[in-house]
Amino acid sequence: MTNLALASWWIQNPRDRRRRAWRAAGVLVVAAAAIFAVGLLLGLFVVGRHGGGPIQGWDDTVQRWSVHHRGPLVPAAKFVATYLDALPLGVAAAVLTGLLAAALRTVRALAPLVAYLGGELQVFAIRLVVQRHRPPTASSPAPGAILGVHETSYSYPSGHAVAVTAILFALLGAAALTLRLWWPWLVALVGSWFVCDTRLVLGAHWFSDVAFGFVLGAAWGVAVALVLRRIEWRDVTSVLRRR
């Protein structure tokens, strides 16, 4: 067998494709576990279980400043709170994944959905342990709260910051890696920061909720982009085949 034929057989070998798919899944599991550990450690030792950790003084200062300097961003903050919440964001991620899969026929179409699911799982698991309460301004009619805003779930980390950041970095990062461009990373960064800022403007989160949420979401999004860049549809579909 010639070197070219051997290389072709190796690439097309179903067993090798399955091995690549399982390796990619393993890398994502390890990345998710590492990100969860970092988020948990930050929550327990910096944010503090139930809040009140070393960063609380800074959180109080930023929270007061954000509430008193809301300016014209309140409508945008309400839009983000409503339409980028867990359920509508999940629907949007699933629809976007379906459209990209139909149009591009590439495994990188899975980036929005994988990023969303991993991000939301991180938020759910960390919140179960840290159990930090939101600022008083997260629920009207408290002083400083915006009329109609009523968010009572645990605060750390910010679900909007983690999930939206993860999706943007996974989707635009995959595009940047595939097309060898730098500016999609910048778009992901600016878009994520904007969403994080709207959560502070709304008074729905402490600063550390969104700052650490951004770090966790960006890390997960980059991991998804890097892993999906290295596999193809045939690797994923080979796992479902019996032979």
Side-chain angles (χ1 to χ4, degrees):
M1 183 179 292
T2 65
N3 290 338
L4 182 59
L6 180 61
S8 178
W9 175 85
W10 181 254
I11 293 173
Q12 299 300 326
N13 182 14
R15 183 176 298 178
D16 182 52
R17 293 199 296 265
R18 285 193 292 270
R19 189 179 297 115
R20 281 198 300 270
W22 284 116
R23 188 185 301 119
V27 170
L28 285 178
V29 169
V30 171
I35 293 167
F36 170 76
V38 171
L40 192 59
L41 290 173
L42 288 172
L44 293 176
F45 296 106
V46 181
V47 170
R49 193 161 191 269
H50 306 299
I55 204 171
Q56 189 63 56
W58 178 250
D59 279 339
D60 290 336
T61 300
V62 175
Q63 199 267 341
R64 286 193 298 268
W65 188 93
S66 299
V67 168
H68 287 92
H69 295 82
R70 283 172 168 151
L73 282 180
V74 173
K78 285 187 172 182
F79 179 89
V80 168
T82 301
Y83 295 104
L84 295 183
D85 201 10
L87 181 58
L89 183 62
V91 172
V95 171
L96 182 57
T97 291
L99 293 175
L100 291 174
L104 304 178
R105 299 184 181 276
T106 171
V107 74
R108 286 172 284 285
L110 295 175
L113 188 57
V114 174
Y116 167 80
L117 292 174
E120 287 294 335
L121 181 60
Q122 296 278 354
V123 171
F124 175 78
I126 293 173
R127 282 183 176 181
L128 279 181
V129 179
V130 178
Q131 297 183 1
R132 185 191 204 184
H133 295 290
R134 291 180 184 262
T137 52
S139 182
S140 63
I146 296 176
L147 185 64
V149 174
H150 189 69
E151 302 197 24
T152 58
S153 59
Y154 290 128
S155 190
Y156 173 81
S158 164
H160 286 76
V162 173
V164 174
T165 299
I167 291 174
L168 288 176
F169 271 82
L171 181 61
L172 295 174
L177 292 171
T178 301
L179 302 175
R180 297 184 179 183
L181 300 172
W182 62 268
W183 59 263
W185 293 112
L186 180 60
V187 174
L189 180 65
V190 173
S192 301
W193 280 355
F194 173 76
V195 170
C196 291
D197 188 49
T198 63
R199 305 304 288 156
L200 296 175
V201 167
L202 209 61
H205 280 286
W206 305 101
F207 169 76
S208 56
D209 297 338
V210 298
F212 294 152
F214 167 80
V215 172
L216 300 178
W220 176 241
V222 170
V224 171
L226 290 172
V227 169
L228 294 183
R229 179 68 181 87
R230 300 181 66 86
I231 60 174
E232 297 296 340
W233 270 124
R234 59 187 179 185
D235 300 326
V236 177
T237 57
S238 67
V239 176
L240 305 177
R241 298 173 184 171
R242 295 182 179 179
R243 66 186 181 88

